[in-house]
Amino acid sequence: MVSVSLLKATSYDVDTLEQQLRDLLAPLGGMAAYVKPGQRVLLKPNLLTGARPTKECTTRAELVYCVAKLVQEVGGQPFLGDSPAFGSAYGVAKANGLLQWAKKLDLPIVELHGKRYQFQQEGNFDNLLLSKEAMEADVVINLPKVKSHVQLTLTLGVKNLFGCVPGKMKAWWHMESGKDCQKFAQMLVETAQAIDPDLTILDGIIGHEGNGPSGGEPRRLGVLGASQNVYALDRAMVDVLQIKPSQVPTVAASQRLGLCPNNIDFVLQSPAELYIDNWQLPEKLMPIDFGMPRVMKSTFKHLYIRFIKEPIAAYAQR
């Protein structure tokens, strides 16, 4: 039976949050169960965008800081990495207030670059480029944000690992999937299988509802979740939000592929104890495919932010 730890949590105050994370991980063996001295540990937050820093579109900086602190405490060597949709990991981290917290711990921020890795499982996406920094890390700790999503209903732990597909390859895979949402969801699940995170810690203290992943609004949920099994944790959070698993393509795909367990041991609190009423899903779901014009526009926007806007902003502060 797979263990999932869920905890009522209401504050991003770092002292309070650090204790909440200790309480969350204690039934799972604590951070020492996942990180050994000297291991290089990738912390993979959701660094979607720097455009809406007050709208809870990204994993909170305080949570990343506290997790990194716990990793260092047991002798691990954490580094932060992501491949944002627009701009650089460093630029998005800075825009969302993460840079100052990273500096407190000398936490490196790296850009995720690609390398072709052969998947061991039988799948349709064995030619997918994946981040060498993620694949070659000793430990991967996945730090997703609870958000509604206009194409996938919800983005949770599995979807967050799509950030390990570097650069604009993500847009090309949207286009490759066409209008087949099930195919795209299966690709996301197979990516999660390949990355195989050692631990997922879900930031649900404040989520992002409505027309996410960036066009919605913050919503206080008061939930932290953790598990070694990312599929079980996503399934649990769907129950907390009182959404049918069949409505969330990544959860449905993980069930279809036999990755999501039927029996989950909730070692602290159950989803029923943390129910959220009237969570707002997108007003209207958008097609999963990115046509060629949209891919080109997205690519241009990414390159403009990455190589023009961010460098100019940095220069202006000198």
Side-chain angles (χ1 to χ4, degrees):
M1 185 177 292
V2 173
S3 295
V4 170
S5 185
L6 298 174
L7 178 69
K8 184 71 175 178
T10 58
S11 176
Y12 287 113
D13 170 78
V14 290
D15 292 332
T16 302
L17 182 56
E18 182 180 334
Q19 186 57 53
Q20 290 171 337
L21 287 168
R22 291 184 190 276
D23 295 340
L24 180 75
L25 296 178
L28 304 177
M31 187 61 75
Y34 303 95
V35 177
K36 306 305 178 188
Q39 288 186 319
R40 296 182 65 256
V41 181
L42 169 63
L43 305 183
K44 169 57 184 78
N46 184 313
L47 294 182
L48 175 70
T49 178
R52 304 189 78 202
T54 64
K55 295 297 185 178
E56 300 292 340
C57 300
T58 62
T59 307
R60 278 291 284 260
E62 295 91 337
L63 186 136
V64 177
Y65 168 81
C66 288
V67 172
K69 188 175 178 181
L70 295 181
V71 169
Q72 289 181 345
E73 188 178 273
V74 297
Q77 301 172 7
F79 65 99
L80 184 153
D82 198 5
S83 179
F86 301 110
S88 66
Y90 184 91
V92 175
K94 183 178 180 181
N96 286 281
L98 180 50
L99 189 57
Q100 61 181 334
W101 291 100
K103 288 180 177 179
K104 291 177 185 289
L105 297 176
D106 293 324
L107 178 66
I109 298 176
V110 305
E111 309 298 328
L112 299 187
H113 301 99
K115 183 177 178 180
R116 199 171 302 283
Y117 288 87
Q118 185 73 33
F119 287 21
Q120 293 183 352
Q121 68 268 22
E122 293 294 327
N124 299 316
F125 302 97
D126 59 354
N127 62 341
L128 189 66
L129 284 174
L130 293 174
S131 161
K132 62 183 180 181
E133 292 83 2
M135 296 297 288
E136 296 173 3
D138 297 314
V139 177
V140 176
I141 299 181
N142 186 24
L143 301 174
K145 185 81 168 181
V146 178
K147 298 191 291 183
S148 292
H149 197 286
V150 293
Q151 292 175 311
L152 293 163
T153 307
L154 282 175
T155 171
L156 300 165
V158 167
K159 176 62 169 65
N160 191 53
L161 293 167
F162 195 41
C164 294
V165 175
K168 299 315 295 178
M169 275 295 296
K170 291 186 285 293
W172 289 101
W173 275 104
H174 272 274
M175 188 171 66
E176 170 68 18
S177 296
K179 297 185 184 298
D180 190 340
C181 190
Q182 282 195 356
K183 180 180 179 181
F184 187 69
Q186 180 170 330
M187 181 273 296
L188 294 174
V189 170
E190 290 184 10
T191 300
Q193 280 185 278
I195 301 297
D196 193 20
D198 298 87
L199 177 65
T200 297
I201 301 175
L202 191 65
D203 176 9
I205 296 178
I206 300 178
H208 184 89
E209 67 177 1
N211 295 321
S214 63
E217 294 296 329
R219 167 80 181 273
R220 185 168 289 277
L221 304 179
V223 179
L224 285 174
S227 181
Q228 186 175 353
N229 187 305
V230 63
Y231 317 105
L233 182 56
D234 280 8
R235 176 67 178 83
M237 195 63 212
V238 165
D239 281 350
V240 170
L241 298 176
Q242 301 187 69
I243 298 169
K244 294 179 181 179
S246 60
Q247 287 184 264
V248 184
T250 51
V251 174
S254 72
Q255 292 178 320
R256 187 172 62 251
L257 295 172
L259 298 170
C260 185
N262 293 319
N263 297 316
I264 298 175
D265 179 22
F266 294 104
V267 294
L268 281 178
Q269 294 180 270
S270 69
E273 295 176 88
L274 299 166
Y275 275 163
I276 301 299
D277 293 324
N278 301 316
W279 174 260
Q280 297 300 305
L281 293 176
E283 296 172 2
K284 182 180 179 181
L285 290 178
M286 294 174 57
I288 203 73
D289 66 319
F290 285 179
M292 179 62 74
R294 188 174 177 187
V295 169
M296 297 305 295
K297 181 179 179 181
S298 174
T299 301
F300 176 80
K301 182 177 178 181
H302 170 72
L303 295 175
Y304 169 75
I305 294 174
R306 177 75 175 85
F307 295 106
I308 299 176
K309 185 176 179 179
E310 287 182 353
I312 287 176
Y315 178 81
Q317 293 178 2
R318 291 181 180 177

